[in-house]
Amino acid sequence: MSTTASAGTATLTDKQQRILRYLREQGQMKTYFKSRLIGDELGMTAKEVGANMTAIAEGEFDVDVEKWGYSSSTTWKVTA
């Protein structure tokens, strides 16, 4: 992990760190994630996931996150 990713992770909240960890692990196997399904896995609501994904999408981490679609739940494109 780069120094930038390490320093950036320290500024994330606990929920944001949990989401980032989940995306790092699952991003190796798939590309698209729905907020609702991430929330189900992590014990959060889709709204909580969406609100916290912005910090991850705007930060400089070893995964790229882009808001992709809105049908039935926000979909995020993740490139690990």
Side-chain angles (χ1 to χ4, degrees), residues 8-56:
T9 303
T11 63
L12 295 176
T13 66
D14 180 57
K15 286 182 183 180
Q16 292 164 348
Q17 288 180 23
R18 288 174 50 210
I19 293 168
L20 181 58
R21 209 170 20 250
Y22 175 83
L23 295 175
R24 283 178 175 147
E25 293 169 5
Q26 299 300 315
Q28 302 299 320
M29 296 175 277
K30 59 191 248 186
T31 304
Y32 297 95
F33 296 87
K34 289 198 172 284
S35 291
R36 175 178 43 85
L37 298 177
I38 294 171
D40 288 348
E41 288 289 321
L42 300 178
M44 298 180 204
T45 66
K47 189 172 185 172
E48 285 177 300
V49 172
N52 286 289
M53 284 288 268
T54 305
I56 297 168

